[in-house]
Amino acid sequence: MPILPIELVSWAILATSAGGAIGSYCVENPGVNGCVNDKLDIMNTGSIPRMMVTAAKRQDVGPCGVPKYNFDQCYDQSVSAGVASSIPSPGEGRFDNVPPACMDLSAVLVGSCTDDGPRPEPCGSACLHYTGLTDEDFAKLSNILNRK
C-alpha cells in the first residue's frame, strides 16, 4: 500500500471528522499527488490502465432470425457426419445420422419460419423425417446435410 503524505492524510481525517467528503479535496486541488479523476486514489490505482469497453458487434442473423453461427455449426458438423438420405414415399424425405447442430435447425433448413410448408419430425436422436416436401425441398435439404 502506498504511503500518503502526512498533510494529505491529516486533511482527509479532518474532512471526514468535520462531515466533509474526502473526494472534494481532489476536486478543489487538481493535480495533487494521490488524486486520480478528481477522486482520492488511496489504493494507488492510477497506474493501472483503464479498460476500454466497446459495444459488442451485433451478430449476423440468418433465416428466421436464427444467428448465423448456428448455421455455421451445422455446416461444420455435416462435413464429416455422412448423412444418409432416402425417399420413403412421394413428398417425404428421411435423413439419418444428422448432426446435433442441424437437428436444432430442422424446421429452418427448408426455410419454414411458420407452420406452413414442409414439417420435420424427429425419428430418433439423429434422424429427421420430413413430410410435404417438393423435389426442390428434398434437393435443398440433401445439399445442406450432405456436405462432403
Side-chain angles (χ1 to χ4, degrees), residues 73-116:
Q73 287 177 336
C74 176
Y75 176 82
D76 293 342
Q77 291 178 12
S78 66
V79 169
S80 60
V83 175
S85 58
S86 62
I87 302 174
S89 63
E92 295 182 6
R94 182 181 171 115
F95 299 90
D96 291 301
N97 201 26
V98 178
C102 299
M103 291 289 289
D104 293 339
L105 297 173
S106 60
V108 179
L109 291 177
V110 289
S112 178
C113 301
T114 60
D115 288 335
D116 52 328

Side-chain angles (χ1 to χ4, degrees), residues 13-65:
I13 293 170
L14 177 64
T16 304
S17 64
I22 295 174
S24 65
Y25 175 81
C26 292
V27 173
E28 295 167 3
N29 302 293
V32 173
N33 189 17
C35 294
V36 175
N37 296 331
D38 296 332
K39 295 185 179 165
L40 185 61
D41 186 17
I42 60 173
M43 295 183 61
N44 196 21
T45 60
S47 61
I48 299 173
R50 296 188 65 95
M51 184 170 66
M52 297 300 294
V53 178
T54 58
K57 182 181 175 188
R58 186 173 180 181
Q59 296 177 351
D60 293 331
V61 178
C64 303

